[in-house]
Amino acid sequence: MVSCLHNAAAASLQVKKPPQSLVYKKWFDLQCRLSKRNLGRLANRLGNNHSNHALRKEYFAQRNKTFKLSQEKEKSVSLQPQQKQLRTGTFLTGKKFKTP
């Protein structure tokens, strides 16, 4: 009985860590984090009140802006090695840049 109480007390004192919500990518910088934060705030303001058309319009505009921003950032980082090879004149494989 006493050991059961000790186990329950020890379990109640343990603090659970919150899940990691940050995205650890090279391209996910401060601008992406702020855009994602604003999108979350708009989602919280919108909540279950989907009849507010102005807020819905603002939310979907911010969502599209966040999505495009993350795509542009990811694309710019993924193309950097190819751009460096083009500048230095090193050989590129034909898989990336096929000519018709």
Side-chain angles (χ1 to χ4, degrees):
M1 179 78 171
V2 174
S3 64
C4 183
L5 290 174
H6 284 293
N7 289 338
S12 68
L13 292 176
Q14 291 177 352
V15 177
K16 291 185 179 179
K17 291 183 180 179
Q20 200 98 25
S21 63
L22 293 177
V23 179
Y24 291 103
K25 302 280 184 186
K26 284 192 271 185
W27 52 267
F28 201 82
D29 60 356
L30 180 65
Q31 191 178 13
C32 292
R33 282 193 188 95
L34 292 176
S35 182
K36 185 178 176 185
R37 181 184 301 158
N38 289 338
L39 183 64
R41 286 179 178 165
L42 278 172
N44 288 339
R45 281 178 47 202
L46 186 60
N48 290 330
N49 185 13
H50 297 290
S51 61
N52 189 345
H53 294 293
L55 193 57
R56 276 176 55 92
K57 195 174 191 179
E58 187 180 352
Y59 170 77
F60 285 114
Q62 179 67 30
R63 188 181 73 168
N64 290 340
K65 186 173 135 185
T66 302
F67 180 72
K68 286 178 184 177
L69 176 69
S70 64
Q71 275 191 331
E72 288 172 5
K73 295 276 185 175
E74 185 175 9
K75 194 176 198 180
S76 69
V77 169
S78 66
L79 288 178
Q80 282 178 357
Q82 288 111 10
Q83 290 171 349
K84 185 177 179 184
Q85 287 178 344
L86 282 172
R87 274 186 264 121
T88 58
T90 57
F91 179 75
L92 292 171
T93 61
K95 291 180 183 178
K96 296 276 183 191
F97 303 101
K98 288 188 178 180
T99 57

